[in-house]
Amino acid sequence: MEFIKNIGEKAKDIGEKAREITKRSGELLEVTKMRYEINKLEKIMVNNIEALGELYYRKFKGEEELVPEIERLCQSTLAVEQDIQKLRQQIEKLMPKPALCSQCGKELPEEARYCPYCGTKITE
Ligand SMILES: [Zn+2]
């Protein structure tokens, strides 16, 4: 019976590992989507700021009626900037920072057993 029990436990382990991988790749897909979104938002910001430059210059030359438009565009650019920031924070949560070598302080690859830079055995 011990033998069968062991197989059962192994299968359970594999199941958990697979779920972990599925969850991980799901998160990676999420991160990819968020990076794509950041890219789009950054383009919008560049466009907005360019438009703001033109509006501001026209106002400088006397088109005072552009003031509310400049204000509106500043507000929406600020909102876009905040969205980018939120997405960056979410990505940071999903992508934990790599562990550092206790000896040389360099970044360690995932699941490394020895530091590839100085050869220190990794205990954690
Ligand atoms: Zn090291």
Side-chain angles (χ1 to χ4, degrees):
M1 271 329 237
E2 194 58 30
F3 174 70
I4 291 170
K5 186 171 162 263
N6 279 345
I7 290 177
E9 275 171 9
K10 260 225 158 59
K12 188 175 146 248
D13 279 355
I14 291 166
E16 265 164 24
K17 192 94 192 153
R19 267 196 296 280
E20 214 169 274
I21 290 167
T22 310
K23 183 171 169 261
R24 183 101 188 105
S25 54
E27 283 175 357
L28 287 178
L29 182 66
E30 226 17 63
V31 168
T32 306
K33 277 191 205 156
M34 285 192 278
R35 287 210 172 113
Y36 179 74
E37 195 61 28
I38 287 174
N39 221 349
K40 274 202 309 197
L41 292 173
E42 277 175 345
K43 280 189 186 125
I44 292 171
M45 269 196 80
V46 168
N47 283 339
N48 280 7
I49 287 166
E50 200 183 301
L52 272 171
E54 200 201 317
L55 288 173
Y56 191 83
Y57 184 60
R58 280 166 58 190
K59 179 197 159 264
F60 168 79
K61 286 201 298 181
E63 293 182 56
E64 286 295 327
E65 71 277 13
L66 290 176
V67 170
E69 177 65 6
I70 290 170
E71 178 71 18
R72 193 195 58 78
L73 202 50
C74 277
Q75 292 293 351
S76 79
T77 306
L78 185 65
V80 170
E81 193 175 7
Q82 285 163 346
D83 282 349
I84 291 173
Q85 203 127 27
K86 272 184 224 148
L87 285 167
R88 289 222 169 100
Q89 282 164 356
Q90 282 179 39
I91 289 176
E92 210 151 302
K93 262 187 231 156
L94 289 175
M95 304 281 283
K97 293 220 161 53
L100 302 178
C101 172
S102 60
Q103 193 61 37
C104 70
K106 291 210 168 94
E107 283 186 6
L108 297 169
E110 225 175 299
E111 287 178 38
R113 297 175 68 190
Y114 292 89
C115 173
Y117 304 99
C118 73
T120 300
K121 193 172 195 298
I122 294 150
T123 45
E124 237 311 79

